[in-house]
Amino acid sequence: MRKIPLLLTASLTLAAPGIAGQSDAVDKTTFHGNAAREGWNRAETVLTPEAVAGRAFGQIWQSPVFDFAGTAPPRLFASPLYLGSVLQRSGPLAGQSVPVAYAVASTGFAYAVLAVDRGGLSAGTILWRRQLTANPCQNGEMGSISTPVIDKAAGRIYVTSCRDDWAWDVHALDLATGDEAKGWPLEISHRTVPASVNRNGTTRFEPGQIYFQRGALNLSADGAQLYITFGPDQQGFLVSVNTRKPAIASAFSSMPRSDMQQGGMWGASGATIDAQGRIHVVTGASFASALAKRGIPGVYPESDGAWGQSILQFTDDPRTGLKLTGTYSPFNYCQTAAADIDIASGGAVAIELDPRRTATPHLLAQGAGKQGVAYLLDRSRLPGTTTHRHACSSDPASDGSLLAPHPQPELGTRGPVVVFGPYSDSIGMVNSAKSRATPARFSAVDGREFLYFAGSSKTGADFGTNVPPSLVRLAIALSPGKPAWLIRDAQEMTVTFQNPGSPVVSSNGGRNGIVWVLDVNMPRSANVFLPDAPGALLRAFDALTLKPLWSSGQALHPTGKYNEPAVVQGMVIVGTDRLQAFGLRGESARSFADYQPVKAATSAGLALFAARCASCHEQEGTGAPARTAIATMDRTRIVTALTSGKMQAMAEGLGAAEISAIAEYLKAP
């Protein structure tokens, strides 16, 4: 195991509501911002489109590289979380409330990272780290791959990890220290999930089967129930955990028997919880069944309790457990499930609207999924029964979602909205898939309601080539007394994503909206753990015009799949093989005193180095050469690296005089 530097063990206390020192900052405690998975930070006052497009925006800090597992490098499939105010009660920052970012890595480690410079400690310093498993699954590549969830009231972060024989442990870590809470971890495996806890048939966790826990964790409003999803290729499972005991309270399998392969709940967003406390999960298809060419019979369309390729709604009673209360299956679920064109790759978003504006104020949006299609549902009246799915259909107009009154161009009739084309019921698995992201919501100041989708349109016989649009905006059409529906509103045609995570939106209320997308920058089938894996790409777009505002270029390191940035308090925090943060460098760079002693250096060169370079070259464990090592290089070599070489991305927007000033500072005696 490779050790990491800059580790600070401190005793921390989260500033609780009502306690002096509590920050009004927006926290990110779960995937896509909140339990409803809206993907929207409404209270970002620093990052405006103009500021992000300006020269001052760029990388402001990064943590050391996270721990390896043997030779397996760390990758973040899980999205980083953030608390704006953590009160430290001991150590060098005792008595100070500081922002902290939380992350878990594929190698089976959890981390708390200082998010601002404070008290002589640099942003990016690791405050605590905890090894969750000594034997992470898949040779160290699947140790922890789902986004955790934070319970501020309990002072805990819930995290899962995989060990040994694909047993999953649920950890409850103290937000302050990373210590495990009493009674945890809780094992979820064939030893602990028998058929008796399943509320749908006789399915159980089977010995020898591989269950991925990729879906983000979610909590009930009171924090008493933790929801965990499993997939991908046998059956999907939703597991409800009582956090007070702790114990597995109940479970629900997507299929009623263990020999029925369908319905994995593997999407990165996990379960969605609406304002009424109802739980929603999207299920998928089976890659193995598609390869075996089992066709529509392998989808089990006539079987009671078979819920592959569907959206399921539940209530969760503390005494009786999970209860299925509503369902939806697309009109063509038979054809798409037979071809492994999952809808489960796209998560669901619960949306609350003013009932004076529409007859359907409680909406559920989902998509675009592997097929590239978006659905809008009235979650108070889901169209399916709780016994079985409807009969197979090939008529888009028969779909039970909320349809626009006019025909869809790609379908030639009424039907769901095609976000990424071309439309197909038979091609859409692996690299041919259109999207594996959850849409993000934004309400503009003029009252318009938008949803943003990230993926890629396709070309070629097998849809093997990505083409624009990769970012599409749909509007929610609202009319008093009438159901809502989706309209294709705008698309961005200059950028092509390879395999993006979910878009997130930041804004100040309905103004200054920005859409952020993290793209793994390689196809779905590529191995992200290879030493020469390309760095990820973070991009920003104006939410109203879809104009590209900024790109990270070569600044990011390789990352895992399907994660998203945390946009909080003027920072954009990205998980790669470490945490990397972006913001306005003129305001956020460390004090110049941190780079002393400096002899005969121009203040301009020092300032530029502090803003553009120091987060890598003045910090151990980043893999970048130290400033003192760069100082031994020829001046021409430094200038070339910044103008046309490996550091060109970090010097983006600088003129020749500014680059020269950096070189002069580095070469100063």
Side-chain angles (χ1 to χ4, degrees):
M1 180 181 69
R2 183 174 298 183
K3 298 295 183 182
I4 52 179
L6 293 176
L7 177 64
L8 174 67
T9 301
S11 179
L12 310 175
T13 300
L14 182 68
I19 295 178
Q22 180 190 13
S23 171
D24 293 329
V26 173
D27 296 326
K28 184 177 183 183
T29 61
T30 187
F31 180 88
H32 233 42
N34 56 18
R37 307 303 196 212
E38 289 182 293
W40 177 23
N41 174 4
R42 299 162 167 80
E44 176 50 58
T45 59
V46 176
L47 299 179
T48 65
E50 293 76 17
V52 170
R55 292 168 58 182
F57 187 80
Q59 182 167 286
I60 54 176
W61 60 260
Q62 62 177 312
S63 75
V65 179
F66 290 151
D67 290 84
F68 280 56
T71 60
R75 297 287 186 264
L76 267 68
F77 290 74
S79 303
L81 302 179
Y82 175 87
L83 292 176
S85 179
V86 178
L87 178 63
Q88 300 196 26
R89 62 175 182 262
S90 67
L93 302 181
Q96 299 187 53
S97 293
V98 298
V100 178
Y102 294 88
V104 295
S106 57
T107 48
F109 285 81
Y111 304 88
V113 177
L114 182 66
V116 296
D117 293 351
R118 192 65 58 84
L121 297 179
S122 301
T125 297
I126 295 175
L127 299 173
W128 59 255
R129 96 190 208 285
R130 181 175 181 84
Q131 186 175 20
L132 304 172
T133 172
N135 299 297
C137 292
Q138 202 160 303
N139 298 316
E141 296 180 354
M142 292 288 129
S144 295
I145 57 174
S146 69
T147 301
V149 64
I150 291 173
D151 185 340
K152 292 175 62 178
R156 293 176 176 177
I157 181 170
Y158 294 102
V159 183
T160 62
S161 65
C162 182
R163 59 175 166 84
D164 304 327
D165 58 348
W166 291 94
W168 290 87
D169 291 322
V170 188
H171 304 266
L173 305 182
D174 191 306
L175 286 166
T177 63
D179 293 338
E180 192 88 59
K182 185 178 180 180
W184 300 81
L186 178 69
E187 180 179 323
I188 299 182
S189 72
H190 64 89
R191 291 178 288 270
T192 62
V193 188
S196 60
V197 304
N198 181 19
R199 299 297 187 265
N200 184 37
T202 61
T203 312
R204 54 165 293 167
F205 269 51
E206 294 291 340
Q209 285 193 0
I210 294 175
Y211 296 90
F212 282 177
Q213 203 292 289
R214 179 179 283 147
L217 310 186
N218 212 341
L219 274 173
S220 60
D222 62 359
Q225 299 298 129
L226 176 68
Y227 298 104
I228 309 172
T229 55
F230 291 85
D233 213 46
Q234 287 76 38
Q235 305 82 33
F237 265 95
L238 172 64
V239 177
S240 174
V241 170
N242 183 332
T243 63
R244 306 293 193 239
K245 290 187 178 179
I248 295 173
S250 65
F252 191 97
S253 171
S254 60
M255 304 300 282
R257 300 196 317 267
S258 293
D259 63 324
M260 302 169 76
Q261 286 188 311
Q262 288 288 327
M265 303 175 188
W266 62 269
S269 65
T272 299
I273 304 176
D274 66 15
Q276 294 74 37
R278 297 172 294 197
I279 304 105
H280 302 81
V281 177
V282 188
T283 70
S286 168
F287 181 70
S289 184
L291 289 181
K293 300 187 183 301
R294 294 172 186 150
I296 290 177
V299 179
Y300 308 101
E302 299 177 0
S303 297
D304 287 352
W307 296 115
Q309 201 75 330
S310 300
I311 299 175
L312 309 181
Q313 182 188 83
F314 302 91
T315 57
D316 191 11
D317 186 274
R319 294 168 298 174
T320 59
L322 292 165
K323 179 182 178 181
L324 186 65
T325 56
T327 69
Y328 163 76
S329 306
F331 75 95
N332 58 348
Y333 76 89
C334 292
Q335 303 93 301
T336 53
D340 189 42
I341 310 177
D342 295 55
I343 65 169
S345 61
V349 178
I351 300 170
E352 294 290 326
L353 296 173
D354 186 338
R356 294 171 297 182
R357 302 184 67 191
T358 175
T360 53
H362 309 302
L363 295 174
L364 192 75
Q366 194 276 333
K370 292 183 181 179
Q371 194 178 31
V373 174
Y375 307 96
L376 188 68
L377 299 163
D378 179 356
R379 65 176 193 274
S380 295
R381 301 177 186 83
L382 292 181
T385 74
T386 56
T387 305
H388 57 266
R389 293 167 295 183
H390 59 74
C392 298
S393 173
S394 58
D395 178 12
S398 70
D399 195 83
S401 60
L402 300 174
L403 304 181
H406 51 270
Q408 296 298 321
E410 298 85 357
L411 304 176
T413 182
R414 293 183 67 210
V417 176
V418 178
V419 180
F420 301 112
Y423 178 84
S424 174
D425 282 341
S426 59
I427 304 175
M429 59 194 298
V430 194
N431 291 341
S432 300
K434 310 286 181 39
S435 176
R436 294 180 174 87
T438 300
R441 177 192 180 188
F442 174 54
S443 300
V445 69
D446 59 7
R448 288 180 294 170
E449 291 283 349
F450 294 127
L451 291 168
Y452 298 84
F453 297 79
S456 279
S457 297
K458 301 285 183 173
T459 190
D462 61 350
F463 296 173
T465 303
N466 296 345
V467 294
S470 285
L471 179 66
V472 175
R473 185 176 71 206
L474 302 187
I476 303 176
L478 302 174
S479 181
K482 295 183 179 180
W485 70 85
L486 294 176
I487 299 173
R488 189 182 185 91
D489 182 70
Q491 58 189 14
E492 201 288 321
M493 294 300 295
T494 67
V495 172
T496 301
F497 294 139
Q498 295 304 314
N499 190 17
S502 298
V504 294
V505 175
S506 64
S507 70
N508 186 0
R511 304 179 188 277
N512 293 326
I514 301 174
V515 184
W516 303 86
V517 183
L518 179 65
D519 185 10
V520 70
N521 199 26
M522 62 180 77
R524 152 66 179 81
S525 60
N527 184 353
V528 300
F529 293 95
L530 294 177
D532 59 350
L537 283 172
L538 176 65
R539 295 184 184 273
F541 304 84
D542 187 294
L544 292 183
T545 66
L546 294 191
K547 177 184 177 181
L549 300 173
W550 178 85
S551 172
S552 61
Q554 300 178 29
L556 291 178
H557 297 277
T559 188
K561 299 171 183 174
Y562 318 132
N563 65 351
E564 65 183 25
V567 187
V568 285
Q569 279 192 287
M571 288 186 292
V572 185
I573 304 174
V574 179
T576 54
D577 61 356
R578 67 199 78 187
L579 290 186
Q580 299 180 247
F582 297 81
L584 301 182
R585 289 176 288 209
E587 298 176 5
S588 305
R590 286 181 284 168
S591 167
F592 295 165
D594 292 339
Y595 309 106
Q596 300 295 339
V598 178
K599 297 180 180 179
T602 66
S603 60
L606 186 152
L608 289 165
F609 181 85
R612 298 287 181 122
C613 315
S615 60
C616 289
H617 297 292
E618 286 280 1
Q619 187 159 248
E620 296 181 61
T622 65
R627 175 176 58 84
T628 52
I630 300 175
T632 64
M633 299 176 184
D634 181 83
R635 184 185 184 283
T636 302
R637 181 179 174 185
I638 296 173
V639 171
T640 300
L642 290 167
T643 54
S644 60
K646 294 178 66 175
M647 294 296 103
Q648 184 178 5
M650 296 309 297
E652 183 178 2
L654 297 183
E658 292 166 308
I659 290 174
S660 179
I662 293 174
E664 289 175 9
Y665 161 68
L666 290 169
K667 296 299 294 180

